[in-house]
Every structure is written in structure tokens, then in C-alpha cells.
Amino acid sequence: MQSHSFNQVEISRSALRHNFSLLKRRMPPDTPILAMVKADAYGHGMVEASQAFQEAGCCEFGVAELCEAVRLRESGITRNIYVFLGFKLFDVALFFEYNLIPVIFDIESARALSDEAVSRNTEITVHVKVDCGMTRLGIVPGELGDFVTVLCTLPGIKYGGLASHFPRSDEPDSTQTREQFARFNQLAAADAKVSEIVVHTANSGGILYFPDSSCGMVRAGIALYGYYPDGKNGILRQSGEKLQPTMTFKSRVLQVKTVDAGTGVSYGHTYTTTRETTIAVLPIGYEDGLSRCLSNKGEVLIHDKRVPIVGRICMNLCMVDVSSIEHVRAGDEVVIMGSQGNETITGDDIADLMGSISYEVLCLFGNNNERTYIE
Ligand SMILES: *Cc1c(COP(=O)(O)O)cnc(C)c1O
């Protein structure tokens, strides 16, 4: 018999498919969308989310590390899988055994792939990452030409694509993004192989706010999970059909008690009641992704109403003040993220209180709790 946690993350498969289809309709017809399913699909479960995207027509999947790609391939995804963060040279054979596409940024990796391809009497497609403004992974623009020249002399290597990444495409007015895109285009145009390769740079911000940057492929992450890269501003700015949040986080009340005015709550007594107060104890804490920085700040939904988290969030427990609601009982449903009645708490609401972004909230909740899937 299986025992279930009180805390359940619910993922909507239809919302995942909806978001993929919505982005697809916004792209020129032949532009593939690579679904970024790193970080266990931003907390949604890499395998299940990839299946949902594949059902919606997705043919390209991106992960950070090789081990994720292997797991995704073993799960039965048959389409292209890209590994974005390189690999240990020792593991090079896995790209061939699992038919994966490495995104490379150093010549040692290229040589290791070439040697392995030759020894197997085969060829491998690689994409090259160039850093034109993110100052993260990638070959610096000045070295790209030489790199590609050497790459193309290596036997068994098929140069298949050139990628870059936008640091500021979540700002719809950012001139930096336009300048970077122009620089990237120049680099691609100077590449003798440009007509044979797939050129890609747009992330969700690029797709939503810089549609001209779609090139030969786009890489969508956060938008597939129903959030805008610029949070609430993105929701305000949107027109037409909306992205749908795909994750809900629910728990239940563990205990209810009424305490006198002047009672300290939780570690450090950082909250003291000012009147007789009914406290509901919830089985959720920072171990479950409810960041301790939400202590005395966060809210949850109970009986279709917002109630405040009072006192410090503990490792597995937190307390909310339910004095404004009658008849709260142990076992009542609690929504930490999602809707109850007419009230909704979004990942952006929680992120704003944490001084973070929805991306982190989804990873925290999704990757630290039991997930269930609904249509
Ligand atoms: C995560 C990631 C993306 C997706 O970014 P979003 O802002 O979530 O759309 C695209 N490209 C690369 C290289 C990434 O690491």
C-alpha cells in the first residue's frame, strides 16, 4: 500500500499542452519550439511534461546535464534531445548510445566527440554556443570563427547549429536585446555554414516580446509552464489568449487551536497575537519548498479566503491565522499556490514576496513534493 504526503503538487497536462500550442501559433509555421525541460521541467516532472509537449507536437527537448538526457531518452522520448551544459569527457559515449545532441563551447569536447564518432564509424550533430552578451556559457564572439573552422575539420562531427542566450529579453523595451540580436545575426551571417545550420537564441522573453528573434528555432521554458518571464507585468501586458499556469500546490490543515492575546507563535516568537486568535497548523515548511523568508509574509487559501502565515516557517510546519474564518477543522484543504473559490495565489505572488521569480517557486514546490497529474 502506498502512503501519500499531505502536500500535493498537481500538474495539469492539458495546460502544458495548451501553452505549447499557444506559443506554436505565435511562431512562424515552420519554426520548431524546443521545450526546456531542465530542472525536472521547472518542477513539473521532466518525463511527464515532455510527454505532454510531445503530444502537442513538440519535437525538440532541452536539458542541462547529460544524466537528465539519458533519463529522458530511457523514458521513451524519441525526438531530439539537447544537452546544454556540456559533459565529462569520460561520458562521451553516452551521446552515441542515447542519440543526444551536445551543445558545445570548448574544443576538448569537440575532439572527444570526434574521436568517439570515428571509433564508431558514425557522425554526430553538435550545436555551438556563443556568448554574445549573457556572460555565461559560450565561446566569446571573437573566437567563434576559428572555433568553427577547427570544428569543421574534425572527422565525424556535423556542425548542426549555433546558439546564444538573451539576458534581458524579459524587458520588452530593452535595447540591449535588440543590439545583442543584431550581433548574433552578424556572427551567424559571417559563418560559412549558415545556410546548413539551425540558428537559435530566443527564450520565453524572446518569443513573447521579440518575435523577430525566432530564427530557426526557439527555446521555451517558463512560458510553457504558464508564467511570463517578467512576472505580473507580463500578465498585464498580454492581449488575446493567455498562458495557463500548470502547477497547483495543496495541503491540508493538521490541527486547529485558539490561543489568548499575547501568545508567541513558532520559533523565536517573531509573531505575538494581539487578540484571541485561532491558529491552524499546516504540515508544510521550508523542506517542502515554502521558503523561510515567507515567514510573517506569505498567505494561503482556506475556505476560499486568504489567511496570513504567522510566525516563522519551520522545516515541516507553519501556522496561519484563521480567526477570520469560522469552523476551520483538521483535514480542511489548504491551497498554497493555485485557486480556491474566487481567490488565487500565483507563483508570481509568492515570488514577489520572496524577492524572487516564478521560476524558483515552481522548482521549489515541484521538486520537493509528491506530484500528481490531472488532465
Ligand atoms: C532555461 C533556458 C531557456 C529557457 O528560458 P525561459 O526564460 O524559461 O524561457 C532557454 N535557453 C537556455 C540556454 C536556457 O538555459
Side-chain angles (χ1 to χ4, degrees):
M1 208 172 81
Q2 209 184 344
S3 169
H4 291 282
S5 166
F6 293 127
N7 304 324
Q8 294 289 332
V9 162
E10 210 174 78
I11 311 285
S12 164
R13 287 199 177 92
S14 56
L16 291 169
R17 291 195 305 265
H18 165 89
N19 294 332
F20 183 87
S21 303
L22 180 58
L23 295 183
K24 188 85 187 129
R25 287 196 295 277
R26 291 201 178 189
M27 290 289 103
D30 296 331
T31 310
I33 298 178
L34 181 152
M36 271 293 176
V37 293
K38 65 194 185 204
D40 226 348
Y42 295 42
H44 292 67
M46 173 182 69
V47 171
E48 294 84 351
S50 298
Q51 281 162 354
F53 298 139
Q54 190 167 261
E55 281 164 27
C58 185
C59 297
E60 322 283 331
F61 298 89
V63 295
E65 293 212 53
L66 179 55
C67 53
E68 300 171 81
V70 167
R71 192 160 69 82
L72 187 57
R73 183 64 84 213
E74 284 183 336
S75 80
I77 293 290
T78 55
R79 305 299 191 153
N80 289 339
I81 302 177
Y82 299 74
V83 177
F84 276 85
L85 296 198
F87 56 97
K88 292 184 190 158
L89 299 185
F90 177 79
D91 285 331
V92 68
L94 294 172
F95 284 95
F96 297 82
E97 283 163 25
Y98 289 89
N99 186 21
L100 307 169
I101 302 175
V103 180
I104 61 169
F105 41 85
D106 64 88
I107 204 69
E108 293 74 24
S109 299
R111 290 192 202 284
L113 289 159
S114 168
D115 291 348
E116 186 69 21
V118 169
S119 77
R120 289 172 178 260
N121 195 21
T122 184
E123 209 180 41
I124 187 164
T125 297
V126 306
H127 285 218
V128 172
K129 185 78 176 284
V130 58
D131 177 7
C132 352
M134 177 75 181
T135 318
R136 205 173 68 174
L137 268 187
I139 292 168
V140 296
E143 292 170 11
L144 181 68
D146 288 348
F147 182 86
V148 168
T149 306
V150 174
L151 183 71
C152 292
T153 64
L154 296 177
I157 296 283
K158 182 172 187 302
Y159 173 38
L162 181 66
S164 193
H165 191 57
F166 286 138
R168 299 182 65 174
S169 62
D170 57 328
E171 303 166 45
D173 304 321
S174 81
T175 47
Q176 191 281 334
T177 305
R178 302 217 169 277
E179 287 162 11
Q180 176 167 335
F181 184 55
R183 204 172 319 136
F184 180 59
N185 267 335
Q186 276 169 12
L187 286 169
D191 195 318
K193 300 268 176 170
V194 66
S195 61
E196 297 162 38
I197 62 172
V198 181
V199 171
H200 49 111
T201 186
N203 48 8
S204 294
I207 296 169
L208 294 167
Y209 306 135
F210 299 89
D212 298 349
S213 70
S214 61
C215 302
M217 181 163 79
V218 297
R219 305 186 305 263
I222 197 70
L224 291 175
Y225 308 104
Y227 285 91
Y228 292 79
D230 50 341
K232 290 178 181 169
N233 292 331
I235 300 176
L236 294 175
R237 198 177 292 112
Q238 73 185 341
S239 57
E241 220 180 331
K242 296 177 174 125
L243 296 169
Q244 293 172 1
T246 46
M247 183 189 291
T248 300
F249 186 22
K250 290 181 189 164
S251 187
R252 68 196 318 255
V253 175
L254 206 53
Q255 193 191 10
V256 181
K257 62 182 66 174
T258 300
V259 298
D260 292 336
T263 304
V265 178
S266 193
Y267 288 121
H269 283 181
T270 59
Y271 184 83
T272 304
T273 58
T274 55
R275 48 169 166 68
E276 188 181 81
T277 300
T278 306
I279 298 285
V281 182
L282 312 181
I284 165 172
Y286 52 81
E287 193 240 355
D288 312 295
L290 189 70
S291 173
R292 190 167 174 278
C293 73
L294 293 165
S295 300
N296 290 310
K297 278 194 202 166
E299 293 178 319
V300 303
L301 306 178
I302 300 178
H303 292 201
D304 302 350
K305 293 204 177 93
R306 282 174 181 261
V307 289
I309 295 172
V310 290
R312 287 214 179 116
I313 294 171
C314 309
M315 192 177 286
N316 291 99
L317 295 163
C318 69
M319 276 57 79
V320 291
D321 178 353
V322 292
S323 308
S324 62
I325 314 175
E326 281 181 31
H327 309 305
V328 175
R329 293 208 179 89
D332 288 355
E333 183 190 76
V334 178
V335 171
I336 299 103
M337 182 172 71
S339 297
Q340 207 185 44
N342 295 324
E343 284 285 353
T344 301
I345 295 177
T346 68
D348 289 322
D349 292 332
I350 298 164
D352 286 353
L353 292 174
M354 289 168 63
S356 184
I357 50 176
S358 63
Y359 300 60
E360 185 180 5
V361 175
L362 297 179
C363 289
L364 282 171
F365 290 168
N367 289 335
N368 288 296
N369 293 287
E370 251 174 54
R371 290 182 289 239
T372 53
Y373 293 85
I374 58 167
E375 241 328 277

